[in-house]
Amino acid sequence: EVQLMESGGGLVQPGGSLRLSCVSSGFIFGSETMTWVRQAPGKELEWVASISAHSTTSAHADSVKGRFTVSRDNAKDTLYLQLNSLKTDDTGIYYCARGARMATNEYKYRGQGTQVTVSS
């Protein structure tokens, strides 16, 4: 059974930082591209970042480029997202997903999410 479990969210002031983690099980993590997506209140799911199986390539949405960094530790089956210089627009539920970015924004395997709230 594929399981993805995010953690690390919380309440942070604008300009602050958080590090999200996603622990995976039930599949060969080190063989899969992994993705972070987020959903702001009242908005559709938005792709945030993806990273290839061996970290050779990564990509970030323009809205987070230069502020967020995706990484992974295949020895720990764990995906990370470092969030710096947070803005109120970054508020939402952050999910990790198995696989590459989907044009349809539909992911067969997605965790339960972790809430990030950016507010003063």
Side-chain angles (χ1 to χ4, degrees), residues 101-113:
R101 178 184 184 183
M102 299 295 291
T104 60
N105 241 356
E106 295 176 357
Y107 296 89
K108 182 176 181 179
Y109 298 106
R110 183 157 59 104
Q112 84 291 343

Side-chain angles (χ1 to χ4, degrees), residues 22-36:
C22 171
V23 178
S24 306
S25 64
F27 64 103
I28 303 175
F29 178 79
S31 297
E32 302 261 2
T33 292
M34 295 293 293
T35 291
W36 285 99

Side-chain angles (χ1 to χ4, degrees), residues 59-114:
H60 300 76
D62 287 344
S63 58
V64 307
K65 201 170 293 183
R67 301 186 299 119
F68 292 7
T69 303
V70 61
S71 64
R72 65 192 297 162
D73 185 339
N74 287 349
K76 297 182 179 179
D77 290 345
T78 302
L79 179 71
Y80 302 101
L81 187 67
Q82 179 67 41
L83 290 66
N84 297 330
S85 302
L86 281 160
K87 305 175 181 179
T88 55
D89 286 349
D90 295 320
T91 294
I93 301 175
Y94 285 69
Y95 303 91
C96 67
R98 176 185 175 185
R101 178 184 184 183
M102 299 295 291
T104 60
N105 241 356
E106 295 176 357
Y107 296 89
K108 182 176 181 179
Y109 298 106
R110 183 157 59 104
Q112 84 291 343
T114 186

